[in-house]
Amino acid sequence: MLILECPYCGVMADETDLHGDGEAHLKRFGPGSSDDDFEGYLFMRKNPKGVHFERWRHASGCGKFFHAARNTMTLEVYGTYLAQTLEPPKAIIDAVKAKHPEWEGYK
Amino acid sequence: MSNAVSTLNGASFEGYVRVEEQGLVGMITLRGDLTSKALAKAVKSATGAAMPGQGEIASGDKGRVGWMSPDELLLIVDHAAANDMVAALTKALAGEHALAVNVSDARTVFRIIGAAAREVVAKVSPADVNALSPGQLRRTRIAQIPAAFHMIDEETAELVCFRSVGKYAFDLLKDAALPGGEVYL
């Protein structure tokens, strides 16, 4: 069972309280962008075995979106953080690097 | 105006805990900036309760105020007073980015009363109910529907859900409270 702490409520919510919303930190390409950019935005998703950044929604709680850094292989959770960020905060990056010094980094 | 009727008209069930629907309860959803002084003052004058902290529920002489999300409060008040309270809140928050709505007739309220009240709620919810002390409010789900609950005291839980699923919630709680279904007692 995956348990994530909602950064808005401070509640340790298990995954049945939450809704997964796919990859985090996507940059939107809308009208006026090239076809390649638009295709990438719509369809291209990372599917790593290991460290991954995801968007979650505390669906049956406060209803807010938040981000989570977790490991898709071990289900280890490195931390959760607010949705109002364009890339993972330093504390999260440090937590991942402490566990996986060889991790190539976000991006 | 037609008579207001609660979802189950005060139905109750006597299992190894007592489950009862609370009849008409006034409820107001208030959204806005919870750090705003004007909003805290309006809430205080409406209910007599201070602004609750994250995940808490505060009591006043005219009602209770629950923290629902970083920008949402639930005011639990007298059913007859709810409309006037919404008008007073709207007036007090005229310059604020805030909204008060009377949702009394869109909700159903239950009380679960008995020594095993926590256990019965814990059966139907993923939340750590044993860690929930009186004064804390938890918004989560019960079986397949969203609900919020808090402990009034060690042996009484109050649970709020949407009216459209009120019957489902009652049947669910009845089932969890059936004699013979005790886990720890």
Side-chain angles (χ1 to χ4, degrees), chain A:
Chain A
M1 181 70 77
L2 185 62
I3 296 177
L4 300 173
E5 182 182 0
C6 171
Y8 296 95
C9 308
V11 158
M12 296 301 285
D14 82 299
E15 67 185 278
T16 61
D17 252 353
L18 307 167
H19 189 272
D21 270 278
E23 189 182 328
H25 308 303
L26 293 177
K27 185 179 186 313
R28 180 174 183 270
F29 289 94
S33 62
S34 73
D35 284 356
D36 282 352
D37 281 346
F38 188 58
E39 186 205 10
Y41 161 65
L42 271 188
F43 301 115
M44 300 307 179
R45 295 292 181 268
K46 290 174 189 161
N47 185 20
K49 180 183 178 186
V51 180
H52 193 32
F53 297 87
E54 287 173 332
R55 228 156 65 106
W56 287 83
R57 182 169 173 263
H58 195 183
S60 55
C62 63
K64 305 289 179 203
F65 281 95
F66 63 92
H67 289 148
R70 68 179 189 100
N71 193 307
T72 57
M73 193 169 62
T74 63
L75 291 190
E76 180 182 4
V77 177
Y78 304 105
T80 55
Y81 51 102
L82 303 185
Q84 288 78 16
T85 45
L86 294 175
E87 54 183 46
K90 192 170 177 305
I92 300 287
I93 299 279
D94 289 347
V96 176
K97 282 199 171 141
K99 288 276 175 154
H100 307 281
E102 78 291 351
W103 180 56
E104 74 278 17
Y106 172 71
K107 292 275 178 204

Side-chain angles (χ1 to χ4, degrees), chain B residues 59-135:
Chain B
S59 301
D61 50 352
K62 283 175 282 180
R64 286 166 294 152
V65 184
W67 187 98
M68 296 294 271
S69 88
D71 54 6
E72 181 180 343
L73 295 175
L74 179 70
L75 279 56
I76 305 175
V77 298
D78 185 38
H79 188 269
N83 270 333
D84 292 343
M85 213 172 268
V86 168
L89 282 167
T90 307
K91 199 168 168 222
L93 296 169
E96 293 274 311
H97 183 63
L99 179 69
V101 179
N102 183 356
V103 293
S104 309
D105 299 325
R107 303 280 165 86
T108 306
V109 183
F110 295 96
R111 279 195 187 180
I112 299 105
I113 304 157
R118 278 178 200 272
E119 181 186 300
V120 168
V121 178
K123 274 185 183 179
V124 294
S125 150
D128 187 359
V129 185
N130 281 323
L132 198 76
S133 49

Side-chain angles (χ1 to χ4, degrees), chain B residues 8 29 38 40 42 50 66 83 109 111 114 128 133-134 136 142 162 165:
Chain B
L8 301 165
T29 286
N83 270 333
V109 183
R111 279 195 187 180
D128 187 359
S133 49
Q136 283 182 304
I142 55 167
F162 290 114
V165 288

